[in-house]
Amino acid sequence: MKRALCIHDLPTVGRASLAVILPVLSAAGVQCCALPTAVLSSHFGGFAPVQVQQMSDQMARSFAAYEKQKICFDAISTGYLTGPEQAALVCSALEKHTAELIVVDPVMADHGKFYHGFDAGMVAALSALCQKADVITPNPTETALLLGQDPLTACWDEQLLESRCRQLAETFGCDVVLTGCRLAEDHVVCGGFDRKANNFFMLECDYVNAQYPGTGDLFTAVLTGALLRGKSLKAAANAALCFTQRVVHTTFAAGCEPRFGVEFEPLLGTLEDLLCH
């Protein structure tokens, strides 16, 4: 069984980050080794106030323990980090703990603006981390920031999507899956660039008029699991998009409260079929 070290935050309430990634990767047949970057009373999408305990000291001790005990991982994935110092800690750890697959979700911004507490310093820190990645999964805002561009001026179309994916791949020397881009009122797309195949691709799904925290984490977890099972970047991204779309539509149809996230649990049994085809 493949083993993945997942370096993300852990909300105790709400389906996001490790609360999503751990069960999804397990359902994908991957042993998920969770290393929390912070423990939160809830995620930030609809709950306030949020109590946060950052875990940098424990992370450093854990990295040292893995090295001493010669624990190896087939994949390492990273998501929300509390600041540039924590990003630098992870960057340094990746130099010592090799893996066949490193997936970096450069979590720092959305909808044209930084998340609370982040600024240009986080862009620099995550840019350095992206240099270590095999695959990065930014959203449109994070893409613009990583490329030193204004996140509010882009008018997205397929040509720009391909251009940005290629720019990211060239800048950071990795494969790219750019998520959550709306090119039309009723469609959401993700674009990808596979460096080995020198191939851009675009995948579409229907837009649902609701905001659910944690869908990016869900997507990245399925993507990581599919890549570990030998799927190509495009096939892995397609499996991730199909599962995410299925879960979002089911949650929306059930009228669930958005801030608790998407109800993926009843559909975990369908994930294996997606990953087998």
Side-chain angles (χ1 to χ4, degrees):
M1 178 179 284
K2 300 284 188 177
R3 180 184 300 119
L5 177 64
C6 298
I7 309 171
H8 301 255
D9 59 304
L10 175 61
T12 58
V13 174
R15 298 176 181 88
S17 302
L18 285 174
V20 170
I21 294 164
L22 199 159
V24 169
L25 273 181
S26 297
V30 176
Q31 180 190 1
C32 179
C33 304
L35 181 59
T37 61
V39 177
L40 294 74
S41 57
S42 66
H43 61 66
F44 292 99
F47 296 97
V50 178
Q51 301 301 316
V52 180
Q53 177 64 56
Q54 67 93 7
M55 301 292 287
S56 295
D57 290 345
Q58 175 64 20
M59 289 170 65
R61 289 193 294 267
S62 295
F63 288 136
Y66 303 151
E67 185 176 9
K68 184 176 182 179
Q69 297 166 19
K70 295 181 170 51
I71 297 174
C72 298
F73 302 98
D74 299 289
I76 299 174
S77 75
T78 76
Y80 175 79
L81 302 165
T82 59
E85 297 80 8
Q86 205 175 75
L89 172 64
V90 174
C91 203
S92 177
L94 290 180
E95 295 176 358
K96 301 176 182 178
H97 300 276
T98 58
E100 67 182 68
L101 174 66
I102 297 175
V103 180
V104 172
D105 186 359
V107 178
M108 60 178 160
D110 203 1
H111 304 297
K113 60 183 181 181
F114 283 109
Y115 294 135
H116 177 73
F118 292 163
D119 55 22
M122 197 62 177
V123 179
L126 288 178
S127 293
L129 188 57
C130 286
Q131 296 283 356
K132 307 289 185 185
D134 296 301
V135 183
I136 60 174
T137 60
N139 63 35
T141 300
E142 292 157 349
T143 293
L145 292 170
L146 289 170
L147 294 175
Q149 299 166 347
D150 185 345
L152 294 175
T153 58
C155 215
W156 289 85
D157 57 22
E158 184 175 350
Q159 183 177 0
L160 180 61
L161 184 62
E162 179 174 358
S163 173
R164 290 283 169 88
C165 286
R166 288 180 178 273
Q167 287 178 61
L168 287 169
E170 181 178 347
T171 299
F172 297 107
C174 62
D175 290 344
V176 175
V177 179
L178 199 165
T179 64
C181 187
R182 287 186 68 186
L183 303 191
E185 286 299 316
D186 57 349
H187 282 86
V188 178
V189 305
C190 73
F193 188 77
D194 185 327
R195 293 178 73 241
K196 185 177 180 179
N198 191 29
N199 179 53
F200 166 77
F201 59 86
M202 187 176 77
L203 304 168
E204 297 185 29
C205 69
D206 295 334
Y207 175 71
V208 172
N209 189 24
Q211 295 291 324
Y212 296 105
T215 51
D217 303 312
L218 182 69
F219 180 96
T220 301
V222 178
L223 177 78
T224 301
L227 289 171
L228 278 174
R229 291 177 59 153
K231 285 190 172 292
S232 68
L233 185 70
K234 182 178 179 180
N238 186 61
L241 189 66
C242 288
F243 187 70
T244 303
Q245 177 180 233
R246 182 181 299 170
V247 169
V248 168
H249 278 269
T250 300
T251 303
F252 184 75
C256 302
E257 186 176 352
R259 66 176 181 162
F260 286 101
V262 287
E263 294 194 352
F264 65 89
E265 296 92 344
L267 295 173
L268 282 176
T270 69
L271 183 56
E272 180 63 24
D273 287 341
L274 274 176
L275 296 178
C276 285
H277 294 92

